[in-house]
């Protein structure tokens, strides 16, 4: 299978403009635009997060994932979105409303009653950095659409929430090429993904062909989610992706998902609607979308099922 190098965006190039009021359209934003149209995926480099912190995050999450099942079960709660879930092929730990030091501390104390400051510090610091990075990424994407990024960030994105997942994939009983995370598109607004450098993530092109995503240490992978696809009136795509087994002993990934407030209307601005691009979606809320997809849990076996946004909002 062909391997692709995701388009690389050097976010440090518009650091100052993002902090100011106006982002000048320039070559790096043209790359964001092309990447979001073509793949719905890009890679962010020069993000300012120290490689030492990323190594520490990998090390503490390895510690967490290697705890015995009965210890991990101590963090299982009645709300599956807020705890630990053991799926056949991988473990998922969920932290809601990040950055939230209380929820990190709470989970940590259940796993390590004697405390684990390394874990709390590393996950806490990563969440803080990612919250800051998300603002820069969203503003860059808005500017790449030719929009007033400051205005639209404030009106539609400032109140977005974030959840952090820790995914741990095991190799137990796996054969090369086995699909360990089925084909899906992220339903949220946007995902900023960090992984431990192991390969396995694949993206499906517009033409329906699967590509291996080349791994690149110390960078973050960004992908557009279904809600953002709808907000852009379909100009940017929320890509199907999956994870396959490629021979690792175990594999860690940390998706940081940005979500619209549950009851906010998701609605493309008029600037993105014209004769060439007539309005594609009716307004909908994230909570209505979640309700719709709960029937198939967000995973679509090779995407035969129409996406949630197509089912509830397409005009
Ligand atoms: O593990 C990965 O690289 C991707 C994870 C993912 O797509 C997800 O959690 O939605
Ligand atoms: Fe995903």
């Amino acid at each position: 299978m062909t391997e692709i190098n995701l388009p690389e965006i050097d976010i440090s190039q518009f650091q100052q403009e993002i902090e100011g009021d106006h982002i000048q359209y320039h070559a790096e934003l043209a790359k964001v635009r092309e990447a979001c149209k073509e793949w719905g995926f890009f890679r962010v480099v020069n993000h300012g997060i120290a490689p030492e912190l990323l190594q520490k995050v990998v090390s503490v999450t390895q510690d967490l994932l290697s705890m015995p099942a009965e210890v991990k079960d101590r963090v299982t709660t009645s709300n599956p979105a807020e705890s630990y879930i053991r799926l056949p092929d991988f473990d998922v730990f969920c932290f809601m409303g990040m950055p939230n030091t209380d929820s990190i501390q709470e989970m940590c104390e259940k796993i390590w009653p004697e405390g684990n400051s390394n874990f709390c510090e590393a996950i806490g610091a990563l969440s803080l950095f990612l919250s800051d990075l998300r603002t820069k990424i969203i503003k860059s994407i808005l500017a790449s659409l030719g929009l007033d990024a400051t205005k639209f960030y404030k009106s539609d994105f400032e109140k977005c929430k974030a959840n952090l997942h820790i995914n741990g994939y095991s190799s137990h009983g796996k054969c090369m090429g086995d699909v360990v995370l089925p084909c899906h598109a992220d339903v949220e607004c946007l995902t900023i993904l960090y992984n431990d450098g192991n390969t396995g993530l694949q993206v499906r092109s517009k033409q329906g062909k699967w590509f291996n995503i080349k791994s690149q240490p110390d960078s973050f992978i960004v992908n557009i989610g279904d809600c953002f696809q709808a907000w852009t009136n379909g100009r940017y795509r929320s890509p199907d992706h999956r994870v396959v087994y490629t021979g690792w002993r175990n594999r860690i990934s940390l998706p940081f998902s940005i979500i619209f407030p549950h009851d906010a209307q998701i609605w493309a601005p008029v600037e993105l609607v014209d004769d060439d691009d007539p309005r594609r979606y009716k307004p909908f809320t994230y909570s209505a979308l979640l309700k719709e997809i709960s029937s198939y849990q967000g995973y679509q076996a090779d995407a035969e099922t129409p996406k949630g946004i197509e089912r509830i909002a397409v005009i």
Side-chain angles (χ1 to χ4, degrees), residues 22-122:
H22 179 67
I23 306 181
Q24 193 72 34
Y25 194 82
H26 60 59
E28 214 60 20
L29 287 180
K31 272 164 69 182
V32 173
R33 188 185 176 91
E34 262 321 291
C36 293
K37 277 176 179 284
E38 194 55 34
W39 293 102
F41 264 108
F42 58 88
R43 190 181 290 287
V44 171
V45 296
N46 289 335
H47 41 67
I49 303 182
E52 295 75 27
L53 172 60
L54 297 174
Q55 278 151 24
K56 197 169 158 189
V57 166
V58 170
S59 148
V60 298
T61 49
Q62 262 161 358
D63 294 344
L64 173 69
L65 293 159
S66 60
M67 295 303 274
E70 61 273 20
V71 172
K72 292 190 270 194
D73 280 342
R74 287 187 211 142
V75 288
T76 306
T77 67
S78 53
N79 180 358
E82 235 179 46
S83 56
Y84 165 59
I85 308 162
R86 191 179 318 131
L87 296 167
D89 292 322
F90 64 106
D91 281 350
V92 190
F93 286 85
C94 316
F95 300 87
M96 311 289 280
M98 297 303 267
N100 178 346
T101 38
D102 288 347
S103 80
I104 301 170
Q105 189 77 34
E106 206 179 302
M107 182 182 289
C108 180
E109 280 169 9
K110 286 188 187 155
I111 300 279
W112 294 284
E114 69 287 7
N116 183 338
S117 54
N118 274 343
F119 180 84
C120 295
E121 277 163 26

Side-chain angles (χ1 to χ4, degrees), residues 23 139 141-150 152 231 269 271-272:
I23 306 181
K139 284 189 177 176
I141 294 174
L142 295 174
S144 78
L145 286 158
L147 296 173
D148 178 339
T150 310
F152 283 105
W231 193 92
E271 286 85 341
L272 300 178

